[in-house]
Amino acid sequence: MSQKIYFTNSPARIIDEYINDSGTPKTFILTDENTAKCVLPHILSESRQLRDAEVITVKAGDINKNLDSLSYIWERLQNGGATRRSLLINLGGGMITDMGGFAGATFKRGLRFVNMPTTLLSAVDAAVGGKTGINFNGLKNEVGAFKEADAVIISTTFFNTLPLEELKSGYAEMLKHGLIDGKEAYRRLISYNIESADWDNLLDMLEESVNVKRRIVTEDPFEHGIRRALNLGHTIGHAFESHSMKHNSPIPHGYAVAWGCVTELILSRLLLGFPGEELHRFADYVHDTYGPFVFTCEDYPELIELMHHDKKNMSSEINFTLLKDVGEIEIDHTCSEDDIKSALDIFRDLMHI
Amino acid sequence: MSQKIYFTNSPARIIDEYINDSGTPKTFILTDENTAKCVLPHILSESRQLRDAEVITVKAGDINKNLDSLSYIWERLQNGGATRRSLLINLGGGMITDMGGFAGATFKRGLRFVNMPTTLLSAVDAAVGGKTGINFNGLKNEVGAFKEADAVIISTTFFNTLPLEELKSGYAEMLKHGLIDGKEAYRRLISYNIESADWDNLLDMLEESVNVKRRIVTEDPFEHGIRRALNLGHTIGHAFESHSMKHNSPIPHGYAVAWGCVTELILSRLLLGFPGEELHRFADYVHDTYGPFVFTCEDYPELIELMHHDKKNMSSEINFTLLKDVGEIEIDHTCSEDDIKSALDIFRDLMHI
């Protein structure tokens, strides 16, 4: 893997060095309206190399990670005279790194791009690993490409202005990496209090967490096997997320993943004997930190239909990553609709709804 | 390179074997309205495996190789329940293999696709080599991806219903491969009469020609160096093509390449001493086969502006592949605007306009 990942308290210095070393003729910065206000001015004031960069701003929010925004980015790159040697810096959350990565992967069949994630969620998840894309026709990340950023610059200095909800959303992916990695990392994570996070410790834990993902992605970049471990919590989490989007009450991605992890650990308990006490401890942690996700039996058919659309499915069956225990992964486990309905019942019990 | 290229007189048998061997759960066929009438019924009647395939038909013509059509293909794949294990067969000319390849490269971040080129042009050029994409905002192939088809099935049996203009268009790319490859292949090509083509000889020459491209692409799949040899005639050819599209009198791609090759051989003569008698012989062959491309000095600024948008440009300069002699390639040759204007003047002389 040639991609370089920096963990730093001086992101402006790192991007300046990167541009200096790579001899970039023209730089574009993709960002959203929020990041353009809260983060971009700091970076621009501290960087020498970004002064002449052309800024492309799109509307914030996952709902704008769509074909219209992508088309606008392509148009701005075209009108700005971007060539294959140009550099696109994706400065923002996962919405920006996903969509900017896809724009970078496809404009003139590919120009170089660097991800600078400004949220914990994107730092630990979207910015690393080469999955790019947009939502399409009501489904998350329905079109996209596998293309790694040339470099990723991760800094907790970006997180100062983040609302607590955003931090918690990112922390859910760190919990998931802990569940996949093993008991030691997992214990540290469920003992840490993200609600009163200290940035230096978080940067260290973030490096550990990103490296879990990195090891797995290096082994299986195109998701033919073990990479599907990273989908723990996501088959059901994405269904929760799509469902909430369709019903006009969108939930943060990380919350969906946290709730999805609980439900998939329930499936793991039912089908693989995942330890009951671990399940209850995790469910309590998620309930205390994220609250409950509220739905009724009447939503089951729609949720299951959404699971059928998941990209990991190889046929008409629904495919899950399950755990025998913390750190003991079983990929490609198919479940019956009855199993899924039972798990959704138990989830609602554990969330006290 | 894992891609398999078949040269065959029995394309239906080959696709049946391919589907049988690869265990495809669901097959989609992308085609355009013309191919759906002239070619698809034959294939369907001869194939056992394609009986249940879902057919996606788009409007014909390069003007429809656009975001609307791509979006329609994504939607049909989505509604048809396509998964990453599904197979997309791109049955058509370069418009279909380019756009279908891009749809295949991006839907759920990539499903398998097979190209079955039904024109000589797409058989010798678009269907092989992994360049996929669509036109965007008035520019050719402005967005796309590098992604090779899993297999390419090439058969001259598809060409029976092709108009002569289509055959000549494809033959221009074969001429270009001859110019790149060397004198022996080149001599054979300018002695062959494409206007009274016999299919068996053409299949042999096609195999030779496709293998020129294949050797170069294998050496440099992402066009960092020697692959740019294949762009001979295309920097100017694409400008001719975009110009004609903008002015609502589109010319066939291969004709643009033939005229582009003449102009770039003129640049080769001016800057690298390409032999005058070869230039004149080639220009006469192109004039006799393709007629002249008519434009005036007033079109020069727009043509040069279009050349600046070429994807091969690494900076603000215009980048060419030129030849010292037949088979002697120099990639990455930049030319001044004055050189280009002189070449356009001489081109108009050689075309008697």
Side-chain angles (χ1 to χ4, degrees):
Chain A
M1 198 187 280
S2 60
Q3 180 185 59
K4 177 86 184 131
I5 307 182
Y6 302 86
F7 297 87
T8 178
N9 287 318
S10 312
R13 185 174 55 75
I14 299 288
I15 190 68
D16 278 0
E17 284 172 13
Y18 177 89
I19 292 174
N20 221 25
D21 293 350
S22 63
T24 300
K26 176 136 196 185
T27 302
F28 295 80
I29 300 174
L30 174 68
T31 193
D32 65 36
E33 287 174 346
N34 297 340
T35 315
K37 275 183 220 140
C38 302
V39 182
L40 184 64
H42 298 285
I43 286 274
L44 291 181
S45 73
E46 286 172 19
S47 159
R48 289 176 180 205
Q49 296 286 352
L50 297 182
R51 279 180 200 162
D52 301 327
E54 189 161 329
V55 178
I56 304 172
T57 308
V58 294
K59 282 188 200 141
D62 196 71
I63 201 163
N64 294 304
K65 196 174 90 174
N66 59 22
L67 199 52
D68 284 345
S69 304
L70 178 67
S71 188
Y72 173 72
I73 298 165
W74 283 334
E75 203 175 311
R76 288 289 309 274
L77 289 169
Q78 188 182 65
N79 295 339
T83 72
R84 284 188 191 165
R85 295 278 304 160
S86 300
L87 176 68
L88 175 64
I89 297 174
N90 299 317
L91 179 75
M95 178 265 194
I96 288 293
T97 58
D98 280 3
M99 184 162 60
F102 191 38
T106 52
F107 186 74
K108 293 187 193 277
R109 296 198 195 93
L111 43 77
R112 289 178 310 143
F113 64 96
V114 167
N115 288 338
M116 296 182 82
T118 58
T119 65
L120 179 57
L121 179 61
S122 58
V124 75
D125 188 28
V128 174
K131 283 193 179 179
T132 73
I134 56 169
N135 306 327
F136 180 75
N137 218 10
L139 291 179
K140 297 263 308 161
N141 303 317
E142 183 77 339
V143 299
F146 285 99
K147 183 82 176 273
E148 285 209 316
D150 275 48
V152 183
I153 301 172
I154 291 175
S155 178
T156 49
T157 63
F158 292 134
F159 304 163
N160 281 316
T161 57
L162 285 185
L164 182 59
E165 184 184 274
E166 279 282 346
L167 277 181
K168 291 200 293 191
S169 188
Y171 202 68
E173 293 282 355
M174 290 176 72
L175 288 169
K176 181 202 73 179
H177 287 162
L179 282 167
I180 293 168
D181 194 40
K183 291 194 173 150
E184 202 186 327
Y186 176 67
R187 295 271 174 271
R188 215 168 14 251
L189 285 159
I190 57 169
S191 313
Y192 184 76
N193 184 2
I194 185 63
E195 309 208 358
S196 58
D198 58 308
W199 301 132
D200 280 343
N201 270 332
L202 189 63
L203 190 63
D204 288 343
M205 287 168 73
L206 196 44
E207 182 160 359
E208 185 177 62
S209 193
V210 168
N211 283 335
V212 173
K213 176 161 186 182
R214 199 181 197 186
R215 274 198 303 278
I216 292 173
V217 171
T218 305
E219 210 175 311
D220 175 26
F222 302 114
E223 202 169 33
H224 295 135
I226 190 61
R227 182 168 182 161
R228 288 200 280 277
L230 295 170
N231 292 317
L232 179 67
H234 281 68
T235 307
I236 290 177
H238 275 156
F240 287 167
E241 207 177 351
S242 295
H243 184 272
S244 71
M245 198 154 57
K246 282 198 171 182
H247 294 267
N248 295 316
S249 56
I251 52 177
H253 174 70
Y255 285 48
V257 169
W259 293 319
C261 278
V262 173
T263 320
E264 294 185 14
L265 289 190
I266 296 167
L267 280 172
S268 299
R269 170 111 193 94
L270 293 174
L271 301 169
L272 298 175
F274 183 87
E277 69 275 24
E278 290 287 6
L279 168 60
H280 283 91
R281 193 185 314 176
F282 186 75
D284 287 346
Y285 184 94
V286 168
H287 181 264
D288 292 350
T289 311
Y290 301 94
F293 179 57
V294 179
F295 57 95
T296 71
C297 320
E298 286 172 13
D299 297 310
Y300 289 11
E302 191 180 340
L303 287 168
I304 288 168
E305 173 59 26
L306 287 164
M307 291 173 209
H308 274 294
H309 275 291
D310 193 89
K311 280 185 287 298
K312 276 83 69 186
N313 296 329
M314 288 297 146
S315 61
S316 59
E317 294 193 299
I318 301 173
N319 210 346
F320 290 91
T321 295
L322 300 180
L323 296 182
K324 275 205 277 200
D325 199 344
V326 174
E328 292 182 38
I329 304 155
E330 288 221 0
I331 61 168
D332 294 338
H333 210 99
T334 54
C335 299
S336 70
E337 296 203 355
D338 283 345
D339 291 332
I340 296 168
K341 284 176 189 164
S342 303
L344 292 172
D345 285 339
I346 298 170
F347 174 82
R348 290 165 62 225
D349 286 345
L350 290 176
M351 293 291 120
H352 318 304
I353 52 176
Chain B
M1 196 185 281
S2 61
Q3 181 185 59
K4 177 88 182 127
I5 307 182
Y6 302 85
F7 297 87
T8 178
N9 287 318
S10 313
R13 185 175 55 75
I14 298 288
I15 190 68
D16 278 358
E17 283 172 13
Y18 177 88
I19 292 174
N20 220 26
D21 293 350
S22 63
T24 299
K26 176 137 196 185
T27 302
F28 295 80
I29 300 173
L30 175 68
T31 193
D32 65 35
E33 288 174 346
N34 297 340
T35 315
K37 274 183 223 142
C38 302
V39 182
L40 184 63
H42 298 286
I43 285 275
L44 290 181
S45 73
E46 286 172 20
S47 159
R48 290 178 180 202
Q49 296 286 353
L50 295 182
R51 280 181 200 162
D52 300 326
E54 190 162 328
V55 178
I56 304 172
T57 308
V58 293
K59 281 185 200 143
D62 197 72
I63 200 163
N64 293 305
K65 196 174 87 174
N66 60 20
L67 199 51
D68 285 345
S69 304
L70 178 65
S71 188
Y72 173 72
I73 298 165
W74 283 334
E75 203 174 312
R76 288 289 309 274
L77 289 170
Q78 189 183 64
N79 295 339
T83 73
R84 285 188 190 163
R85 296 278 304 160
S86 300
L87 176 68
L88 175 65
I89 297 174
N90 299 317
L91 179 76
M95 179 264 192
I96 288 294
T97 59
D98 281 2
M99 184 161 62
F102 191 38
T106 53
F107 185 74
K108 294 186 191 276
R109 296 198 193 93
L111 44 76
R112 290 178 308 145
F113 63 95
V114 167
N115 288 339
M116 296 182 83
T118 57
T119 65
L120 178 58
L121 179 61
S122 57
V124 75
D125 188 27
V128 174
K131 283 194 180 180
T132 73
I134 55 169
N135 307 326
F136 180 74
N137 219 10
L139 290 178
K140 296 264 308 161
N141 303 319
E142 184 76 339
V143 299
F146 285 99
K147 183 82 176 273
E148 285 208 317
D150 274 48
V152 183
I153 301 172
I154 291 174
S155 179
T156 48
T157 62
F158 293 132
F159 305 161
N160 280 319
T161 57
L162 284 185
L164 182 59
E165 183 184 274
E166 277 283 346
L167 276 180
K168 291 200 293 190
S169 189
Y171 203 68
E173 294 282 356
M174 290 176 70
L175 287 168
K176 181 201 75 177
H177 287 162
L179 282 167
I180 293 168
D181 194 42
K183 291 195 171 148
E184 201 185 327
Y186 176 69
R187 295 270 175 274
R188 212 165 18 246
L189 285 159
I190 55 169
S191 313
Y192 185 77
N193 185 2
I194 185 63
E195 309 206 359
S196 57
D198 59 307
W199 301 132
D200 279 342
N201 270 332
L202 189 64
L203 190 63
D204 288 343
M205 287 168 75
L206 196 45
E207 182 160 0
E208 184 177 62
S209 194
V210 168
N211 283 334
V212 172
K213 176 161 185 182
R214 200 180 194 187
R215 274 198 302 278
I216 293 174
V217 170
T218 305
E219 210 176 311
D220 174 27
F222 302 112
E223 202 167 36
H224 296 134
I226 189 62
R227 183 169 182 162
R228 287 200 281 276
L230 295 171
N231 292 317
L232 178 68
H234 280 67
T235 307
I236 291 177
H238 275 155
F240 287 167
E241 206 175 354
S242 294
H243 184 272
S244 71
M245 199 155 55
K246 282 196 169 184
H247 294 266
N248 296 318
S249 57
I251 53 177
H253 174 71
Y255 286 48
V257 169
W259 293 320
C261 278
V262 173
T263 320
E264 295 185 15
L265 289 188
I266 296 167
L267 280 171
S268 299
R269 170 111 193 94
L270 293 174
L271 301 169
L272 298 175
F274 183 89
E277 68 277 20
E278 290 286 7
L279 168 60
H280 283 91
R281 192 186 315 176
F282 186 75
D284 288 346
Y285 185 94
V286 167
H287 182 264
D288 292 349
T289 311
Y290 301 94
F293 178 58
V294 179
F295 57 95
T296 72
C297 319
E298 286 172 14
D299 297 309
Y300 288 11
E302 189 180 341
L303 287 169
I304 288 169
E305 173 59 25
L306 286 165
M307 291 173 208
H308 274 294
H309 275 290
D310 194 88
K311 280 185 286 298
K312 275 82 70 186
N313 295 330
M314 288 296 146
S315 62
S316 58
E317 294 192 297
I318 301 173
N319 211 348
F320 290 91
T321 295
L322 300 181
L323 295 182
K324 277 205 278 201
D325 199 346
V326 174
E328 293 182 37
I329 305 155
E330 288 222 358
I331 61 168
D332 294 336
H333 210 97
T334 55
C335 298
S336 71
E337 296 202 356
D338 283 345
D339 291 333
I340 296 168
K341 284 176 190 164
S342 304
L344 292 171
D345 285 340
I346 298 170
F347 173 83
R348 290 165 62 226
D349 285 345
L350 290 176
M351 294 291 120
H352 319 304
I353 53 175

